[in-house]
Amino acid sequence: LCKKIIEILDTLSHSPGVNRIEREFIFHIQTAIIRVEGILMPMSVKTLGRILSILTEGMTIPFRGEPLSGLQIMGALETRALDFDNIIICSVNEGLFPKKSISNSFIPYNLKLGFGLPVKEHEDALYSYLFYRLISRAKNVYLLYDTRTEGLKNGEASRFIMQLKYLYNLPVKERSVTYRVEPEVRKDIIIDKDESVMERMGQLFLNDTGKALSASALNTYIDCPLKFYFSYIQGVEVQDEISEEIEADQFGSIFHSVMEQIYKPYEGKSITADIIKSLLGSEDKIEKFTDNGFLKYKNISEPKGYALLIKKLIIKYVQITLRYDLSLVPFEFIGAEKRVTGMVNISPGMDIPLKGFIDRVDKTGTVRIIDYKSGKGDLRYRDIESLFDSSLRKRNNVAFQMHLYDLLLNYEGEITVEPYFIRELATGKSHSLVIDQQLRELFQDRVIQLVKEVFNPEIPFSPATNRDICKWCDFSSICY
């Protein structure tokens, strides 16, 4: 990778549009990369990027010019005893001018001060002298500072600007300059389903590889066929960030794991009020199951700090769920984490497998499909067609998922689908939908059309029509 970057920089430095100053920059960056290349130590791309950032941030590049003509670029110390008519001082931000002093000495501040050694105040006094001496005989002084606030950069004007304005009451003229920087307009990426793409799709879904289209895969295709292509056809994975925080998907996985362990001993049995009251009273058991989840999904044996707060929140969510279940007793617990599969025939000899994992199936008055959701939501939608309409700003993908689970469960009678939105259960709200055979067949017909579209060689993989979903897409850096 280092060699490739050096080659690119070399090509860039010889291109006609690059001037001498830019060539000097390129040369010093190449030197830094050659230094890293000489380490001969295996490292990730992320580590390489960090090392290059550290090397280039501390890099200083000397400029030479004719002192009697044109523009002279000088450091603050070089201006001593020199007078200029016109002065432009760049980066007059607090922390840059005067420079933020960081002591690298082992000698404590008080000892330095007592023995007359240079301390921070000396450096500040030096910069103050250089600044005021430099501007004392100038006719025009331009002080430039960056007002942007990004990360630890606060965009604050230097104390010298404030002193000129408020201490010496000089007639300072202020002007804010902004530049509109627009990237080149890029064409949408369109992936045609040529012979190689269709062959790849056939290898994935038609050769008993065990791969099948899930509810999330079909939801992804409806939202953005291009994202579906990246994720499910080419298998591009988002790099996992090592983080001490509990991400939303890990939170959900731990919660699902706890609920599965709680109800597992009662599979195929009737759940009564006494059983649920007993579970609610067994906080030690719930805590143990939560610890098991942290160990499994985060490799944390004893949650502390932020993880401990999340653990307590998960326990609270479990208790909310059990209290809601208490209002539904008695009911028969059929199973948890139930894998369901199905087939869609799109042409003779072409059966596309579908799959799903239902969080829980039980039976009250009717069979119930339950999916645990840690956030908020609802089951409202206009009609079946709206569940497949990618142009809608808020397409109900939860309702789509629940309909697909109902279809894959292959049950002919009425089924109640009920996603448990835990935050809303806490306020007493619940959302359920009864699916009969007629509604099921309408959805089934539309799913068949959708899968046929996925495997239709005439319809390419194109970007999302609703660009709102691009804001949180992992592949926005590829397709812009």
Side-chain angles (χ1 to χ4, degrees):
L1 184 59
C2 286
K3 285 177 182 175
K4 191 71 179 172
I5 295 170
I6 291 166
E7 284 175 18
I8 292 167
L9 290 171
D10 197 48
T11 305
L12 189 62
S13 67
H14 288 91
S15 62
V18 177
N19 58 40
R20 288 172 60 191
I21 293 175
E22 289 169 335
R23 283 196 185 95
E24 192 73 18
F25 281 129
I26 291 168
F27 170 75
H28 282 81
I29 293 169
Q30 278 181 317
T31 306
I33 294 169
I34 290 166
R35 281 180 62 193
V36 176
E37 190 186 13
I39 295 172
L40 297 174
M41 183 189 295
M43 65 181 77
S44 68
V45 176
K46 199 169 185 180
T47 306
L48 174 65
R50 283 179 178 172
I51 291 173
L52 288 176
S53 292
I54 292 165
L55 287 174
T56 51
E57 276 173 11
M59 194 181 286
T60 56
I61 298 171
F63 293 99
R64 294 179 183 176
E66 172 54 52
L68 299 179
S69 66
L71 181 71
Q72 294 183 56
I73 300 174
M74 311 178 79
L77 292 171
E78 294 172 278
T79 64
R80 286 170 295 183
L82 296 177
D83 295 327
F84 299 93
D85 289 339
N86 300 295
I87 297 169
I88 302 169
I89 306 180
C90 301
S91 301
V92 191
N93 280 74
E94 189 63 32
L96 295 176
F97 199 103
K99 189 176 181 182
K100 190 184 288 182
S101 178
I102 299 172
S103 175
N104 292 320
S105 174
F106 288 109
I107 304 171
Y109 174 84
N110 288 338
L111 284 179
K112 280 185 174 184
L113 194 64
F115 285 93
L117 295 172
V119 290
K120 183 179 183 297
E121 286 77 8
H122 285 92
E123 193 170 326
D124 286 351
L126 175 63
Y127 264 88
S128 185
Y129 166 76
L130 291 171
F131 175 76
Y132 284 110
R133 206 226 62 81
L134 177 62
I135 68 172
S136 60
R137 291 191 175 94
K139 292 178 181 177
N140 299 298
V141 178
Y142 301 90
L143 305 176
L144 313 180
Y145 69 96
D146 188 354
T147 58
R148 291 175 300 175
T149 301
E150 293 177 359
L152 297 176
K153 297 178 183 177
N154 58 10
E156 184 184 353
S158 169
R159 69 190 73 170
F160 297 142
I161 295 176
M162 298 303 172
Q163 287 168 2
L164 293 174
K165 281 173 68 178
Y166 300 113
L167 187 61
Y168 301 115
N169 295 316
L170 290 180
V172 177
K173 293 180 182 178
E174 293 189 64
R175 184 182 298 172
S176 179
V177 181
T178 57
Y179 293 94
R180 184 168 182 155
V181 180
E182 292 184 347
E184 179 187 347
V185 178
R186 297 177 182 270
K187 294 179 180 178
D188 285 342
I189 299 174
I190 307 290
I191 306 295
D192 291 317
K193 292 175 188 170
D194 57 20
E195 191 176 329
S196 62
V197 172
M198 293 304 293
E199 185 180 345
R200 170 75 176 158
M201 291 172 73
Q203 289 171 351
L204 288 172
F205 300 106
L206 292 175
N207 288 340
D208 297 325
T209 57
K211 287 191 174 291
L213 292 175
S214 62
S216 59
L218 292 175
N219 264 322
T220 300
Y221 181 84
I222 294 168
D223 288 337
C224 179
L226 188 62
K227 184 179 179 180
F228 175 87
Y229 171 77
F230 289 141
S231 296
Y232 297 96
I233 307 303
Q234 290 301 339
V236 180
E237 294 182 358
V238 179
Q239 186 174 357
D240 288 335
E241 297 284 338
I242 297 172
S243 171
E244 292 184 9
E245 295 189 359
I246 313 298
E247 302 297 335
D249 58 340
Q250 293 167 336
F251 182 99
S253 297
I254 296 170
F255 175 78
H256 280 68
S257 172
V258 175
M259 290 306 301
E260 182 186 1
Q261 290 176 80
I262 283 173
Y263 275 128
K264 196 169 186 179
Y266 304 100
E267 196 167 315
K269 298 178 182 178
S270 180
I271 305 294
T272 62
D274 290 339
I275 290 173
I276 293 183
K277 285 176 183 176
S278 170
L279 291 171
L280 281 166
S282 308
E283 193 166 327
D284 290 346
K285 187 185 286 186
I286 296 173
E287 191 171 337
K288 179 190 171 186
F289 292 153
T290 309
D291 287 338
N292 293 342
F294 271 91
L295 188 62
K296 181 178 179 181
Y297 294 101
K298 283 295 288 180
N299 200 23
I300 297 174
S301 56
E302 189 179 347
K304 294 178 181 177
Y306 176 75
L308 182 61
L309 293 175
I310 296 298
K311 173 186 168 180
K312 289 183 177 180
L313 184 60
I314 290 171
I315 291 171
K316 187 177 179 182
Y317 274 23
V318 170
Q319 290 168 340
I320 289 168
T321 307
L322 288 173
R323 287 192 194 101
Y324 178 72
D325 284 344
L326 187 60
S327 67
L328 303 172
V329 291
F331 61 86
E332 182 188 345
F333 185 79
I334 298 172
E337 295 299 318
K338 187 176 178 64
R339 179 183 168 88
V340 286
T341 58
M343 285 284 183
V344 172
N345 180 265
I346 58 173
S347 65
M350 280 191 74
D351 291 320
I352 307 301
L354 303 179
K355 71 174 181 182
F357 287 92
I358 302 175
D359 292 343
R360 175 174 138 194
V361 181
D362 62 28
K363 189 174 183 180
T364 50
T366 59
V367 172
R368 271 196 329 160
I369 294 175
I370 293 167
D371 196 71
Y372 300 119
K373 304 287 184 187
S374 55
K376 291 183 177 182
D378 57 50
L379 274 177
R380 289 176 295 177
Y381 60 92
R382 190 178 64 243
D383 51 30
I384 290 294
E385 188 57 39
S386 68
L387 298 177
F388 296 81
D389 190 349
S390 59
S391 64
L392 289 180
R393 195 158 174 265
K394 289 187 177 180
R395 187 181 65 83
N396 198 328
N397 52 14
V398 173
F400 177 93
Q401 178 188 2
M402 300 308 288
H403 267 287
L404 190 67
Y405 286 170
D406 162 73
L407 186 65
L408 296 179
L409 194 59
N410 198 22
Y411 186 80
E412 290 188 2
E414 286 189 348
I415 284 183
T416 301
V417 291
E418 186 168 357
Y420 274 18
F421 299 106
I422 312 298
R423 290 187 197 176
E424 299 201 356
L425 286 184
T427 61
K429 289 182 182 177
S430 61
H431 302 272
S432 62
L433 171 71
V434 176
I435 300 176
D436 58 19
Q437 193 61 26
Q438 185 181 359
L439 192 59
R440 187 175 296 125
E441 287 173 2
L442 284 172
F443 182 79
Q444 182 178 11
D445 291 343
R446 196 60 187 81
V447 166
I448 293 169
Q449 287 181 41
L450 178 67
V451 177
K452 282 182 177 179
E453 182 184 317
V454 173
F455 287 85
N456 187 344
E458 303 298 321
I459 301 174
F461 292 111
S462 54
T465 52
N466 177 14
R467 296 300 164 99
D468 284 342
I469 66 165
C470 301
K471 292 174 185 175
W472 317 111
C473 179
D474 296 315
F475 300 103
S476 58
S477 59
I478 299 175
C479 71
Y480 304 93

